[in-house]
Amino acid sequence: EVQLVESGGGVVQPDTSRRLSCAASGFIFGNYAMHWVRQAPGKGLEYVAGITYNSGAADYAEFVKGRFAVSRDNARNSLYLDMNSLRDEDTALYYCAREVRNSNNVGRGFFDQWGLGTLVTVSS
Amino acid sequence: EIVMTQSPATLSVSPGERATLSCRASQSISSNLAWYQQKPGQAPRLLMYGASTRATDVPARFSGSGSGTEFTLTISSLQSEDFAVYFCQQYNKWPQWTFGQGTNVEIK
C-alpha cells in the first residue's frame, strides 16, 4: 500500500525556519517526481514546489522562490521542504504528493497519491 | 500565472441528480487539466486527467470534457459519497501549476 506521511509541522514564529519531511513507502520512491502542495485553512489548494525523481531539477511557485528549498533522499525514501523567512501567509496544511509518471520516469503533471498533510502555523 | 476559476462555488444537488461543475483557465492549457475530489479531513483524490480520462477506480458516473480554456466535470447521478469539494488543476507548464478555488457539492 502506498503511503506518504508528512511531519515537521507546528507553530513557528514569523521570519523563522522549519523543515518538513515526507516519508514514503509502498512504492519505488526513486522512480517518481515528488511535490509539495499546501492548503490554507478553509481555502483551496496551492502548488508550492517539486523535484524530479533523480533530483535533477527542482522548482518553485513564485511566492516561495528564494525562501523554500525542496530536496529528497532516495536512499531514505524521503522528501523534504526547508522553509525559511516564514510569513503569516505561509500558514497552511502542507501535503506531500506523488506525480504520476510515464514509463521513462517523466512526470505527467498531476498527482495520484497524497499524504494527510502536516500543519504549519506561523504566528507570533 | 494561469488563473483557474471554478463555478459555482457551491452546488446544491439532490442524490440521484446530475451535477455539472465548470473550470475556466485564463489562457489556453490544451487538455492539461486534472480534477480532484476532497472530503473533510482527507487528502485530495485524483478523479480525472487529460481533461477527460478517468483515474484508476473512478466510477463511470464521473466524466470530464473540454479543452483550451473551458472544462466541465459531470457527475451523472450523485451518490451520497460524492458530496465533497472538487478542485481543478492545470499542469500546462511546471512549476506554474495552479488550482481552482474549488466547488463544494452539497446535499440539497
Side-chain angles (χ1 to χ4, degrees), chain B residues 6-84:
Chain B
Q6 289 187 243
S7 61
T10 301
L11 186 61
S12 298
V13 186
S14 299
E17 287 188 341
R18 182 186 197 90
T20 302
L21 290 66
S22 295
C23 177
R24 174 178 292 177
S26 60
Q27 59 184 267
S28 178
I29 57 169
S30 186
S31 296
N32 296 319
L33 186 96
W35 289 95
Y36 300 88
Q37 176 192 68
Q38 187 177 34
K39 297 180 181 178
Q42 297 185 18
R45 171 196 178 198
L46 177 66
L47 292 179
M48 205 78 60
Y49 59 90
S52 60
T53 302
R54 276 190 301 277
T56 304
D57 294 333
V58 174
R61 63 181 180 271
F62 290 89
S63 63
S65 64
S67 66
T69 62
E70 300 282 346
F71 301 88
T72 300
L73 176 70
T74 301
I75 312 170
S76 59
S77 176
L78 270 157
Q79 305 298 302
S80 57
E81 61 267 30
D82 300 335
F83 293 97

Side-chain angles (χ1 to χ4, degrees), chain A residues 39 47 95 108-109 111 114-115, chain B residues 36 38 43-44 49 89 91 94:
Chain A
Q39 187 169 34
Y47 181 76
Y95 292 105
R108 297 186 62 186
F111 313 110
W114 300 65
Chain B
Y36 300 88
Q38 187 177 34
Y49 59 90
Q89 177 224 343
Y91 49 94
W94 184 54

Side-chain angles (χ1 to χ4, degrees), chain A residues 87-109:
Chain A
R87 305 166 179 167
D88 291 352
E89 55 265 34
D90 294 319
T91 293
L93 185 63
Y94 285 74
Y95 292 105
C96 162
R98 185 179 83 171
E99 184 181 351
V100 174
R101 66 179 183 101
N102 65 17
S103 57
N104 294 321
N105 291 349
V106 175
R108 297 186 62 186

Side-chain angles (χ1 to χ4, degrees), chain A residues 15-102:
Chain A
D15 210 31
T16 61
S17 300
R18 196 79 168 186
R19 169 175 259 209
L20 304 184
S21 300
C22 171
S25 60
F27 66 102
I28 301 174
F29 181 72
N31 283 354
Y32 290 84
M34 298 295 297
H35 302 267
W36 292 96
V37 177
R38 72 185 186 184
Q39 187 169 34
K43 302 295 184 183
L45 300 167
E46 190 171 49
Y47 181 76
V48 177
I51 187 166
T52 55
Y53 72 100
N54 60 358
S55 301
D59 218 334
Y60 306 86
E62 282 298 323
F63 54 83
V64 301
K65 269 186 182 176
R67 298 191 299 126
F68 289 12
V70 60
S71 61
R72 66 189 295 161
D73 184 339
N74 286 349
R76 295 178 184 272
N77 292 332
S78 292
L79 176 71
Y80 305 102
L81 184 67
D82 288 296
M83 305 185 296
N84 301 304
S85 304
L86 283 161
R87 305 166 179 167
D88 291 352
E89 55 265 34
D90 294 319
T91 293
L93 185 63
Y94 285 74
Y95 292 105
C96 162
R98 185 179 83 171
E99 184 181 351
V100 174
R101 66 179 183 101
N102 65 17

